[in-house]
Structures are given as C-alpha cells and as structure tokens.
Amino acid sequence: MGHTRAAVLAVVLAVTVLGLATDGQAQLQSGFYTGKCRGSDVEAVVQGIVQARFASNSDIVAHLLRLLFHECGVNGCDGGLLIDGYSTEKTAKPNLSVKGYELITAIKTELEKRCPGVVSCSDIEVLATRDAVAASTGRRYAVRTGRRDSRRSVATDVNLPGPDDTVPKAAAFFRNLGLTSDDMVVLLGAHTVGVTHCSMIKRSRLYSYGGRAGATDPSMDPNTAATYKRYPCPDTASSDNTILYLDDRASASKVDNSFYKMLQQRRGVLMVDQNLYNDSSTRWMVDRLANTDHFNWLFPQALVKLGEVKVLTATQGEVRRVCSRFN
C-alpha cells in the first residue's frame, strides 16, 4: 500500500512540475541569439557592459535584482516595467524607487547598433541580472533566451508583496507566478544586497507595532530595536529617508547567505523578511540556507525560474527598438 501511494505521489509531482512549463517557457532556448547578430556574441556584449558597470558601482547588483523582480512579478517577464509614459507600470508606487533602467538602455543601444530589432528588452533584463549576480559571486549560470516584449504596461496591474506581508500572503503571490514557498524564501535572499528606509519600519516595527502606540515588534532582537531607535531611526520625520541595509553592513555588497543568519538572530529589518523565520512553515528553509552553502546554487536556480514566468515567445508581442516605448 505504501509503495503504491508513493508511486502515485511521484506521478502527481512529475505531472505538476511538467505543468509549470508554459508554451512560452518551452520555446525559450539556450543560446537563442547565436548567429543572429551579425557575428556579435549577444551574451558577451551584455556581460561586458554589466561587468564594466559593476567595476564602478557594485550597487548595480541590487538594482537589477529588484528591477527583475518588479518586472517578472507583474504580467511576467515581458519588459512592461521599462515603458515610459502616463500610468505605466513604472509610475506605480512600488516602482518609483526601482533603478537600473539606464543600464538596460545602454545595453539595448549597443545591441541595436550591432543587430537592429533582434534582441528583446526582456531578454536584456534577464541577461544583465545574471551577469550582475555573476560579477558579485564569481559564478555564472546559464539562462535561456527568446523572450519577446509585450505591448502592455499599466500601473494598476502592479500588485507586489509589501514590506509587512505575512508568509501566507507573500506565498500566495509567488504561487500565482508558479513559484513555490521555497522559491520565495530563496528569492527574498536578494535582500542580501538590498536597502530600505527607516520609514518602512518605524510605524510597523519600532513605534506602533500592531497599531499600538509605542509598541515594538517582539520578534525583533531587543538590542537591534534599541539601536535603530537611538541612531538611524528616531521617532522624528527627519529620519524617514535614512537608509538601512537589509544585511550586515560588512556583507551588504555581497550575494551570500549572511542575510539568513540575520533572520536567525531576529535581526531582519523588514517584517516580511523576519516573518520567514517567525513562521514555522518556512523557518526550516531559512535554517538550511543559513547553515549550508546551498544558497550559492539555489539562488541562481530560483532566478532562472523567476525569469521564465509568463514569457512571450515566437510571434507574441514584439521586439522593441527602444526599451522605453512600444514600436
């Protein structure tokens, strides 16, 4: 009986996993642009531009990781976030602080010189993020290409996880993308190079937890809370824009697993992050990532999955000539 149930479960899991591959994902290819850019190696061009930017400003890793998440989390990885104009995705409140657009533009401009109308903006986003992460870690991973750009970009489509979300709420968002709660825990590890501002935690964690005046989030390490209140985030409006690193300052420019060690110590800055450790359903995954080197290979895998969410391929959409406007 046990063997039969195990066999049935294995089949169900296999079918479920296979079912996650949409037609669009199936048409993505490794080396899609080989031989399509007048003798230029598209991926090498992207890598060169990204590495040059990283050498002058390592913040580009955090910028591109956030850009990719905000891109793929809304209607899939279709370049919709790159469009300028009234009421586009770029103008939605969660996207007002997204950075990295100018690097995508620089890459697109160079590729248009070499092979006009060939390389999509959505592929450039995925390739550039991969190369930024690789520049930080020294480990390059393979991504498939062949995405096309959408002709839709609407601010009201933007509904991204919030800084105070519970695990069930955040997990529901990722599930709608075809990603698991394990993927969620791994992808939030991008906060290892992230920053936020005092305004994002003052009310919810330091001074009005649960809507109670003067209450501090009990899941935050007391010494950490006291330090925030005394130095970067006193209860005055002037501290709202003070920058807080989401990882230890010494590790804030490295893509590594120290972020998860902070969560174990109850020193997570954003509530959505600390909730990963507070919630028993995800705590084990935080422990795994903190206590092993598994983040090194699980993070690239999760980024690949994120980069293949609801993609357009073949004759769908278009290949934009300028990333910030439709053809």
Side-chain angles (χ1 to χ4, degrees):
M1 181 66 176
H3 290 300
T4 302
R5 289 182 64 186
V8 170
L9 180 59
V11 171
V12 170
L13 287 173
V15 171
T16 301
V17 171
L18 289 172
L20 291 177
T22 65
D23 289 342
Q25 289 173 318
Q27 293 184 47
L28 295 178
Q29 302 173 26
S30 297
F32 176 82
Y33 292 108
T34 301
K36 296 179 181 177
C37 193
R38 299 178 179 174
S40 291
D41 182 333
V42 168
E43 295 196 24
V45 171
V46 176
Q47 182 183 33
I49 295 173
V50 171
Q51 286 181 336
R53 177 62 60 89
F54 176 82
S56 63
N57 183 7
S58 63
D59 289 350
I60 195 61
V61 183
H63 296 167
L64 290 179
L65 282 169
R66 187 159 184 255
L67 185 150
L68 188 71
F69 179 71
H70 284 232
E71 173 67 81
C72 298
V74 179
N75 298 330
C77 307
D78 62 2
L81 178 57
L82 305 177
I83 294 293
D84 289 337
Y86 177 75
S87 292
T88 60
E89 288 179 31
K90 191 180 287 188
T91 68
K93 187 175 180 180
N95 291 334
L96 294 178
S97 55
V98 172
K99 300 177 182 178
Y101 297 118
E102 77 291 341
L103 181 60
I104 303 299
T105 297
I107 295 169
K108 179 63 171 173
T109 299
E110 179 60 29
L111 288 172
E112 284 296 297
K113 291 177 184 175
R114 295 169 180 254
C115 47
V118 171
V119 184
S120 69
C121 300
S122 46
D123 270 343
I124 290 172
E125 290 174 296
V126 170
L127 290 169
T129 302
R130 182 269 304 273
D131 291 331
V133 171
S136 173
T137 64
R139 296 180 295 274
R140 201 162 186 254
Y141 56 94
V143 297
R144 299 193 297 172
T145 45
R147 295 164 189 78
R148 288 170 64 89
D149 304 318
S150 75
R151 292 192 53 79
R152 178 181 177 87
S153 181
V154 181
T156 52
D157 288 347
V158 178
N159 183 24
L160 294 160
D164 301 326
D165 278 0
T166 62
V167 165
K169 185 174 181 181
F173 170 84
F174 281 88
R175 191 162 53 247
N176 286 337
L177 301 181
L179 302 174
T180 67
S181 59
D182 288 354
D183 293 327
M184 170 185 71
V185 178
V186 174
L187 286 170
L188 285 176
H191 287 170
T192 184
V193 289
V195 299
T196 189
H197 296 91
C198 285
S199 59
M200 302 303 287
I201 67 167
K202 283 167 62 177
R203 185 160 41 180
S204 61
R205 303 202 72 193
L206 297 180
Y207 300 108
S208 302
Y209 175 75
R212 302 190 304 275
T216 300
D217 184 354
S219 73
M220 180 179 282
D221 168 62
N223 291 330
T224 299
T227 299
Y228 282 149
K229 288 180 176 182
R230 184 172 181 182
Y231 296 108
C233 305
D235 195 13
T236 60
S238 61
S239 71
D240 282 357
N241 291 323
T242 301
I243 289 177
L244 298 175
Y245 291 92
L246 300 182
D247 198 352
D248 271 325
R249 185 67 188 94
S251 180
S253 62
K254 302 174 185 175
V255 177
D256 60 20
N257 71 340
S258 62
F259 165 77
Y260 300 101
K261 299 178 189 295
M262 295 247 318
L263 301 187
Q264 288 179 316
Q265 298 161 12
R266 296 168 57 202
R267 294 170 54 220
V269 180
L270 297 176
M271 189 179 293
V272 67
D273 291 342
Q274 189 58 52
N275 281 343
L276 297 177
Y277 198 68
N278 297 344
D279 193 301
S280 59
S281 70
T282 47
R283 182 182 301 137
W284 73 273
M285 189 64 176
V286 172
D287 285 335
R288 174 187 177 186
L289 295 169
N291 299 336
T292 70
D293 64 354
H294 293 181
F295 180 70
N296 292 342
W297 51 271
L298 286 174
F299 188 54
Q301 286 184 12
L303 287 175
V304 168
K305 288 180 70 174
L306 175 65
E308 297 192 357
V309 168
K310 301 178 184 176
V311 293
L312 304 177
T313 58
T315 59
Q316 298 172 315
E318 64 184 15
V319 174
R320 285 185 216 139
R321 289 178 172 78
V322 177
C323 288
S324 58
R325 64 173 184 264
F326 302 124
N327 287 347

